[in-house]
Amino acid sequence: MLLVLWVLALLPALAYALRPRDGAVLAPARLAIVRSAILLGAFAIGVVEAASAFGALTFGTVLAAWLGATAAVAAAVVVRCVKDVDSGGTRGQSLDVLREELRSRRGATRRTWRRTRSAAAAAPAWQWALGCVIAILAISAAVLAIASSPNNFDSQTYHLPRIEHWVQNGSVAVYATEIHRQVDLGPGAEYLLTHLRLLSGGDGAYNLLQYLAGIGAVLAASRITAQLGGGPLAQLATVFILATTPEVLLQATSTQVDLVAAAWVAALATVVLDEFTRPGDASGSALRAAAPGTDALYLGLALGLIAVTKTTGLLAAAPLLLIWGVGRLVRDRHRRRPCLCGRSPGRCSRADASRAWASRGKTVLASLAIVALMLALAGPFLLRMQAAFGSPLGPPVLHESIGVQTADPRLLLINALRIAHTNLDTPVFVLSDATAAAIGGLAHLLGVDVNDPRITFGTTEFPVPAWYPDEDRAAFPLTGLASLAGLAWFAVKGPRLRRAYAAALVVAFVAVACTVSWQPWVNRLVLFLVVLGAPAAGLLAAALVKGFARSAGDRRRRRTAVGVIAAFAVLASVAGLLTVAYGYPRRLTGAWSVFSLTDMEERFVRRLEWLPQYEAAADAVAATGPETVGLVQGNDSWEYPWWLLLPDAEIVALDSVVPGQEPADPASVDAIVCAEDLDQCADLTPAGWEFVDLGTVGYALPPGA
């Protein structure tokens, strides 16, 4: 916790140093926090990669890096303080004058605070009610994140074991393993957790990464709402919608990585929109003209963080960056209209033409800088994939299992409909069954299989229930429908920026449907679209509320609209509160509450029947005092418990699916532990060793051990 507080202290300090000057952007404080998060995230990724290049990914290296970062942030804060004092006209003034200036500023701050407090006190009771719901959910999620032990299924398989291998090896280089996802899926979130692991020595703070990512995503979404024209009410609605979304709450207490990726996508989106919402000077262009270099820095780093964390986020980043680039080129064209609107060159001065082409050149250079920065962050990982598997995208089994394997428009349509159905699934089973049957009927009418393996993950079958609050499956019907309504409203009557934003999200969803196969847990894979869509819902909600005030004469219409909004707010609040109370696999109340389970029971809550077997095997092996333990497992086995139960042993794989990475020789280890793939384990056990089969778990010991 002290380490987390250390990082949290750096964030606002760096935000102060990076704070835009007054009037330069909308919501400058939130932008400063977003920029600080991007810089600190990129710094953490860079430290891991740089240390790994020298085989020095150790406690000392990471500690030195953060001490250096702290000194740099402190220096930046001092520099900013000096600039703020100078800009206030206090350079060279007497001490008395300086004191008077500071006293005046404190008075202005007090007056601003009093006005803010008065406005809050004057807010309607229902707005206070929404704020209370948000606060209750935020506190409840924080309690769960702090009190819970990591127990996500994928985290047991590959998210957390890869961190232990990196710490053991002192490097993030590719290593031998039977679980290919440990080496070929984006490691960005795990890089951040590696800092916590090395500095704290354990996983007690792991859940806080996603919790803080959730706060960052909500903050960025509220700023996007402001950039799209929303006032305080629309921003409050956006925060409420995201805060009550079950999947957001569940991920915020987990060691999954989807919320981290969503936060980076939202950060990129809000920086993109600055290009169109940055206030200008009297001519309307000076402040905009000064922005591309700064924007390119943060856009490039944000893009790199997305690419190294979860590549599906690039499906939204691409259309957003396209809007940014086109917007800049259009502005370049209009900035020197006489030379760029098709008139005769004779009517253009040479200076005008030169400035116009220079402006275009800056945009091109900024675009190249964005790509270069992205490659600087994600490049080392992509190069390792190229060296290990012959492709920067990883092994064929990865994209063949997760990705769509066809361009047939009929199958792509069915894939999109199945994803949408799973996203919007509800406990109203008649409705859910009817829509699923309609999708199956459409597939039959089109002459395709609704579960065609080219658009379906593994042997899974559509449909599956997704309405209940499970972190891997939780649907978001309220948030999804509200966002769809808001985006449709944007398309019908919104300003051009809102229409472009809606178009970008539509393109992103189509890209998901064309590249990601349907799977039962597809809801968490589109979490970044949920975060980006919430501002549209918040803006629509605010517009409806304002419409109520203007349509006081039409009582029937007013009552209907008020009833719809009130019902939405109540249902969303209930969904959020039930999620933190009874969500799976972490909950505050009930038989499986985090306060009624032991640490190991929390970790095994999804597979409690495995816990006695893991403990028995680990106890038998630990009793022999092994220095090296060989590991045999399947592609979806739980590896992480072995690292917890055998903390003093070096763990190496006895089988590997990674080309060029040979597994350890079974004869070279002091003991063997197995999970699930027990037949292979028995085959690998050296002659004369004792092999014990416990059911799902097994172990082998040498003679006399």
Side-chain angles (χ1 to χ4, degrees):
M1 290 302 299
L2 291 176
L3 176 62
V4 172
L5 292 176
W6 181 10
V7 176
L8 289 179
L10 285 181
L11 185 66
L14 184 57
Y16 167 75
L18 298 175
R19 185 190 59 190
R21 55 195 175 92
D22 293 340
V25 293
L26 293 174
R30 278 174 280 180
L31 177 61
I33 293 174
V34 168
R35 288 178 171 180
S36 301
I38 291 174
L39 286 180
L40 290 177
F43 169 76
I45 300 295
V47 168
V48 170
E49 290 289 3
S52 295
F54 298 96
L57 187 59
T58 62
F59 167 82
T61 302
V62 172
L63 178 61
W66 282 106
L67 289 174
T70 302
V73 170
V77 169
V78 171
V79 171
R80 183 56 186 264
C81 287
V82 173
K83 289 183 177 180
D84 286 347
V85 172
D86 289 347
S87 64
T90 58
R91 176 178 288 182
Q93 294 179 350
S94 66
L95 183 60
D96 292 338
V97 176
L98 179 57
R99 286 175 178 170
E100 184 62 30
E101 175 70 19
L102 293 175
R103 191 178 297 113
S104 175
R105 291 186 180 184
R106 285 196 296 268
T109 301
R110 292 193 192 99
R111 288 191 295 272
T112 301
W113 170 248
R114 283 195 294 268
R115 287 195 298 269
T116 303
R117 188 171 54 186
S118 299
W126 62 268
Q127 292 187 22
W128 278 100
L130 295 185
C132 289
V133 171
I134 294 170
I136 291 171
L137 292 175
I139 294 172
S140 299
V143 170
L144 278 173
I146 295 171
S148 302
S149 299
N151 60 2
N152 171 263
F153 193 103
D154 285 346
S155 296
Q156 307 279 18
T157 300
Y158 67 93
H159 286 307
L160 303 187
R162 69 198 310 189
I163 297 173
E164 298 303 320
H165 281 285
W166 297 338
V167 172
Q168 178 176 274
N169 300 337
S171 169
V172 295
V174 174
Y175 55 86
T177 178
E178 179 68 13
I179 303 174
H180 67 86
R181 290 168 293 171
Q182 290 186 8
V183 297
D184 59 33
L185 286 182
E190 291 90 335
Y191 281 179
L192 303 181
L193 292 178
T194 300
H195 288 262
L196 292 174
R197 170 65 176 82
L198 286 170
L199 293 179
S200 69
D203 60 11
Y206 277 7
N207 291 335
L208 290 176
L209 174 62
Q210 284 252 108
Y211 180 79
L212 295 176
I215 293 177
V218 171
L219 182 146
S222 70
R223 185 170 188 267
I224 291 172
T225 304
Q227 291 172 296
L228 294 175
L233 179 57
Q235 295 172 51
L236 174 64
T238 299
V239 173
F240 174 79
I241 288 169
L242 283 178
T244 55
T245 301
E247 185 64 19
V248 173
L249 289 169
L250 292 163
Q251 289 265 337
T253 63
S254 170
T255 46
Q256 270 287 10
V257 303
D258 305 281
L259 201 48
V260 175
W264 296 137
V265 173
L268 181 138
T270 192
V271 177
V272 163
L273 293 179
D274 274 335
E275 174 60 31
F276 307 95
T277 60
R278 186 178 289 109
D281 61 1
S283 65
S285 62
L287 291 176
R288 289 191 179 106
T294 302
D295 284 352
L297 169 65
Y298 295 107
L299 289 175
L301 293 178
L303 186 64
L305 289 167
I306 295 169
V308 79
T309 301
K310 204 172 186 72
T311 52
T312 49
L314 297 175
L315 301 176
L320 288 169
L321 287 174
L322 180 62
I323 291 174
W324 180 84
V326 171
R328 284 209 55 80
L329 290 175
V330 170
R331 184 164 291 119
D332 294 340
R333 183 171 183 263
H334 286 216
R335 187 168 288 135
R336 295 297 173 187
R337 187 177 296 276
C339 300
L340 298 175
C341 64
R343 292 187 179 183
S344 168
R347 300 183 62 181
C348 301
S349 69
R350 183 172 299 177
D352 284 342
S354 177
R355 282 192 292 269
W357 283 109
S359 183
R360 284 184 171 181
K362 289 180 180 179
T363 298
V364 172
L365 290 176
S367 301
L368 294 176
I370 291 171
V371 176
L373 288 168
M374 182 273 288
L375 292 175
L377 282 181
F381 171 70
L382 298 177
L383 288 175
R384 286 196 295 274
M385 294 303 96
Q386 177 67 39
F389 302 106
S391 169
L393 301 179
V397 65
L398 177 63
H399 40 85
E400 288 175 1
S401 61
I402 298 177
V404 169
Q405 301 298 310
T406 180
D408 188 333
R410 299 172 301 168
L411 289 174
L412 297 179
L413 173 62
I414 296 301
N415 195 47
L417 292 175
R418 293 187 304 169
I419 292 174
H421 175 275
T422 308
N423 294 162
L424 304 177
D425 190 31
T426 71
V428 183
F429 303 127
V430 173
L431 177 62
S432 180
D433 294 343
T435 53
I439 294 172
L442 177 61
H444 179 73
L445 185 63
L446 295 175
V448 297
D449 181 5
V450 72
N451 287 310
D452 190 295
R454 291 172 291 178
I455 56 171
T456 305
F457 180 87
T459 59
T460 59
E461 293 187 0
F462 173 84
V464 296
W467 57 268
Y468 56 92
D470 184 307
E471 67 175 349
D472 288 334
R473 297 193 181 191
F476 34 84
L478 294 175
T479 303
L481 291 174
S483 298
L484 288 175
L487 293 174
W489 177 55
F490 281 7
V492 172
K493 58 182 302 183
R496 283 187 297 177
L497 181 58
R498 292 186 183 181
R499 291 180 178 179
Y501 185 80
L505 266 62
V506 171
V507 169
F509 178 78
V510 171
V512 169
C514 292
T515 57
V516 179
S517 295
W518 177 88
Q519 46 201 280
W521 42 90
V522 71
N523 289 343
R524 65 179 180 80
L525 302 182
V526 297
L527 192 57
F528 63 95
L529 291 179
V530 176
V531 173
L532 293 181
L539 283 159
L540 177 59
L544 291 175
V545 171
K546 292 178 180 178
F548 303 158
R550 291 193 297 267
S551 62
D554 190 346
R555 292 186 178 181
R556 179 176 299 178
R557 180 180 177 184
R558 178 183 174 87
R559 288 175 180 174
T560 301
V562 169
V564 171
I565 291 249
F568 178 93
V570 170
L571 287 174
S573 299
V574 171
L577 294 171
L578 289 177
T579 296
V580 294
Y582 297 104
Y584 191 69
R586 291 166 301 280
R587 59 178 60 173
L588 291 174
T589 61
W592 305 108
S593 166
V594 296
F595 303 114
S596 63
L597 300 174
T598 66
D599 176 70
M600 292 307 295
E601 286 174 341
E602 282 184 59
R603 297 176 185 276
F604 280 83
V605 70
R606 284 192 180 271
R607 297 289 187 274
L608 272 177
E609 67 276 13
W610 290 355
L611 176 57
Q613 299 181 39
Y614 270 90
E615 289 182 326
D619 289 343
V621 170
T624 67
E627 294 183 2
T628 305
V629 174
L631 180 63
V632 181
Q633 58 192 353
N635 182 58
D636 209 30
S637 299
W638 283 18
E639 177 182 326
Y640 189 58
W642 297 124
W643 295 93
L644 299 173
L645 296 169
L646 299 169
D648 299 324
E650 178 185 2
I651 297 180
V652 295
L654 298 185
D655 49 0
S656 175
V657 296
V658 182
Q661 298 296 320
E662 295 298 325
D665 184 352
S668 67
V669 301
D670 302 314
I672 297 174
V673 292
C674 326
E676 295 189 285
D677 204 347
L678 300 187
D679 290 339
Q680 183 183 10
C681 187
D683 293 339
L684 289 173
T685 299
W689 283 37
E690 178 187 7
F691 174 72
V692 179
D693 184 340
L694 298 176
T696 301
V697 172
Y699 65 94
L701 297 174

